[in-house]
Amino acid sequence: MQTKITKTQIDRMTAGQILADKEVKGFVARKLDSGAVTYGYRYRDKTTGKQRWLGLGLHGSITADKARDLAKKAAGEVANKQDPVGELQEARAEAKRERLAEINTVNAVLDAFEKDHVEGLRSGDQVKQAFTNHVRPRIGDKSIYDLKRSDITTMLNEVKEGTGPVMADRVLAHVRKAFNWQMTQDDEFKSPIVRGMAKTKPKERARKRILADDEIRDIWKALDQWKDGPACYPRFVKSLLLAMTRRNESARLHTEELEGDLWTIPASRYKNKRDHVIPITSALRELLGDKPDGCKQNSWFVFSTTKKDGKPDGAKPFSGFSKAKKDLNKLIAKIRKAEGRPPMKQWQLHDLRRTGRSLMSRAKVDADHAERCMGHVIGGVRETYDRYEYLEEKRKAFDALAAMVEMILNPPADNVVQFSGERK
């Protein structure tokens, strides 16, 4: 029905009725089944050809005359090829994006991802450490909706420059998982990570680095000169070679895992999900240290930097790997420069484990026993696993490794024979 929309006409309307104003084309009033009357402006978008409905308000909160004025304004905008509804939708979408941007920073997403997906994983601490050391300081405060590919590339380049391309790719993998996780529950977010961002090739990621004898001596010399960093760090690094452990296996060593002359790494934190028993040689025992002065318990983390009342208490395991490694590299570089030697080739803590295995071969340790010392499962072994199996053979193998390291660190004065692998 077309008429001038007034209060009188509104009061006469029945449920479902629509009034079209004869003064302003497109201005209408309609009465809902609930009894409420709503004002609106109908028009066709000249760009898309779609019919639009622009709500102007409810009768009672707005008068018919006021609604007509709003309809006239909208009609003028449409005449100028504007789209009032489209603009309103865009404004609302922008407001929503701004609200989401305030909530969904990279830090917030990483927090949620860690809680939902990372906690409880064997590698969980490594993932969190990568976020803390490399991601949060660089892009943590940014909104995930404002992230660009260049932000990711810049971050990875900085990680590569600081700690190497392998770490950069690990960071990339962790961030990719976090962003993919976010996309499963966020319609607005699209990850900026694309193919081709990796800093190494698959063959390069399969490391085969074995430290030469002079490099082992440089590392030990730098550790012996260690002063300003975590006091436990030299003992920790040396344990990686003498026990052939992975980084976190040594870092989380707790005295509850020590019994007599055996160190049992529980299956819950060992890669092959089996208890791994390491005989404690005299060389390894020297690295375990004494009970911390501030520890009031009967057990503690062997490699720890935490303190209570100014005294070490062994309450938490050591975790400052990145900074300590950088400081160690600086000491090594200083030593080599003073002796007129070129810088040491890029290396990782895990190379010590691989080097230990190589040194066992040089010491003529049986290959199977050497693999058992590394915690590798030998093919053909019976299904029932005995963690104390070949214990005496492993003890001799670790003793042979310690003796080989000692010979490398203190070679005979008349060192006529060059061990294979030592740089001339």
Side-chain angles (χ1 to χ4, degrees):
M1 177 179 177
Q2 190 172 38
T3 183
K4 182 177 180 179
I5 298 176
T6 62
K7 182 180 182 305
T8 302
Q9 294 292 343
I10 295 296
D11 291 340
R12 294 175 180 173
M13 291 181 70
T14 58
Q17 185 179 2
I18 297 178
L19 294 181
D21 191 71
K22 65 180 182 180
E23 291 189 2
V24 179
K25 184 179 179 181
F27 173 42
V28 298
R30 59 183 179 184
K31 190 166 187 176
L32 307 178
D33 292 339
S34 62
V37 176
T38 179
Y39 297 111
Y41 176 65
R42 293 187 299 195
Y43 68 97
R44 192 172 295 279
D45 179 24
K46 294 184 178 180
T47 302
T48 64
K50 294 182 178 180
Q51 186 160 321
R52 299 284 207 180
W53 167 271
L54 177 64
L56 302 176
L58 289 174
H59 178 67
S61 61
I62 187 175
T63 64
D65 290 338
K66 179 62 176 177
R68 184 179 290 101
D69 290 340
L70 294 175
K72 287 180 180 178
K73 180 181 178 182
E77 293 173 353
V78 172
N80 289 328
K81 297 184 179 181
Q82 292 178 258
D83 181 12
V85 172
E87 293 172 2
L88 181 61
Q89 292 174 342
E90 179 58 33
R92 289 173 176 170
E94 180 62 26
K96 180 180 179 181
R97 284 192 291 268
E98 291 178 356
R99 289 195 303 272
L100 290 173
E102 291 176 359
I103 299 173
N104 287 337
T105 61
V106 172
N107 278 334
V109 169
L110 296 183
D111 288 342
F113 176 69
E114 288 178 4
K115 184 176 181 180
D116 181 80
H117 185 74
V118 175
E119 290 181 3
L121 294 180
R122 184 178 62 83
S123 60
D125 285 349
Q126 295 181 30
V127 176
K128 292 180 181 180
Q129 197 74 22
F131 290 157
T132 299
N133 292 341
H134 305 297
V135 183
R136 295 181 187 273
R138 293 179 171 91
I139 62 173
D141 292 333
K142 284 182 172 288
S143 165
I144 58 173
Y145 308 108
D146 295 334
L147 275 180
K148 299 178 180 178
R149 294 174 185 173
S150 58
D151 295 322
I152 304 299
T153 300
T154 299
M155 176 186 71
L156 295 176
N157 286 338
E158 291 177 356
V159 175
K160 178 183 176 181
E161 180 68 22
T163 54
V166 175
M167 177 55 73
D169 282 355
R170 288 177 183 168
V171 170
L172 175 62
H174 297 327
V175 175
R176 178 187 283 113
K177 288 182 180 178
F179 285 177
N180 287 345
W181 173 84
Q182 179 66 18
M183 284 197 297
T184 64
Q185 52 201 343
D186 186 345
D187 295 334
E188 304 294 328
F189 175 62
K190 184 177 181 180
S191 174
I193 295 177
V194 296
R195 291 172 61 93
M197 286 186 167
K199 299 302 177 183
T200 64
K201 297 178 180 178
K203 289 185 178 180
E204 294 173 343
R205 290 195 287 272
R207 290 180 60 82
K208 299 179 180 179
R209 176 94 156 90
I210 294 175
L211 300 171
D213 290 2
D214 63 321
E215 293 176 324
I216 295 174
R217 286 192 287 268
D218 289 339
I219 293 172
W220 248 247
K221 187 174 182 179
L223 291 172
D224 290 341
Q225 295 178 6
W226 188 267
K227 293 181 180 180
D228 300 328
C232 69
Y233 191 67
R235 295 187 292 116
F236 161 69
V237 174
K238 292 177 180 180
S239 76
L240 299 178
L241 177 59
L242 293 174
M244 296 200 303
T245 46
R246 300 173 182 86
R247 189 181 73 177
N248 281 344
E249 291 164 5
S250 273
R252 299 180 194 173
L253 167 57
H254 197 277
T255 55
E256 291 180 352
E257 299 173 359
L258 304 176
E259 184 177 358
D261 62 351
L262 299 179
W263 168 20
T264 302
I265 304 176
S268 60
R269 67 182 192 87
Y270 203 69
K271 188 173 183 178
N272 66 10
K273 298 302 181 183
R274 292 179 173 180
D275 291 347
H276 178 53
V277 180
I278 299 176
I280 302 175
T281 62
S282 57
L284 183 57
R285 185 167 294 280
E286 291 179 3
L287 304 178
L288 301 182
D290 300 320
K291 182 177 181 178
D293 295 337
C295 180
K296 297 182 180 181
Q297 309 298 324
N298 293 324
S299 60
W300 58 91
F301 284 101
V302 172
F303 305 115
S304 175
T305 57
T306 58
K307 294 182 179 181
K308 186 173 183 179
D309 298 328
K311 296 180 180 179
D313 63 356
K316 295 181 180 180
F318 172 70
S319 61
F321 305 109
S322 181
K323 184 180 185 305
K325 177 62 163 50
K326 288 181 182 178
D327 292 340
L328 176 58
N329 285 342
K330 290 178 182 178
L331 277 175
I332 294 172
K334 184 178 179 180
I335 290 171
R336 294 175 76 98
K337 183 177 181 180
E339 297 177 1
R341 291 184 289 145
M344 183 169 166
K345 181 182 175 182
Q346 195 272 337
W347 68 288
Q348 297 178 2
L349 293 179
H350 192 76
D351 296 336
L352 291 166
R353 170 176 161 86
R354 195 180 301 107
T355 299
R357 174 64 181 85
S358 177
L359 294 181
M360 279 193 176
S361 293
R362 283 170 56 180
K364 308 302 182 182
V365 172
D366 178 82
D368 283 353
H369 296 333
E371 290 298 302
R372 292 184 179 99
C373 289
M374 296 189 78
H376 292 166
V377 178
I378 309 301
V381 174
R382 63 184 182 275
E383 185 175 351
T384 301
Y385 178 70
D386 180 2
R387 66 179 180 178
Y388 296 113
E389 194 175 33
Y390 297 101
L391 188 58
E392 197 56 39
E393 290 83 355
K394 288 165 66 176
R395 189 187 309 279
K396 292 178 180 178
F398 279 113
D399 279 332
L401 170 59
M404 181 63 69
V405 172
E406 178 62 26
M407 184 177 293
I408 291 172
L409 297 178
N410 299 289
D414 56 344
N415 187 15
V416 178
V417 179
Q418 289 274 356
F419 287 108
S420 61
E422 181 172 12
R423 294 180 179 176
K424 301 180 179 180

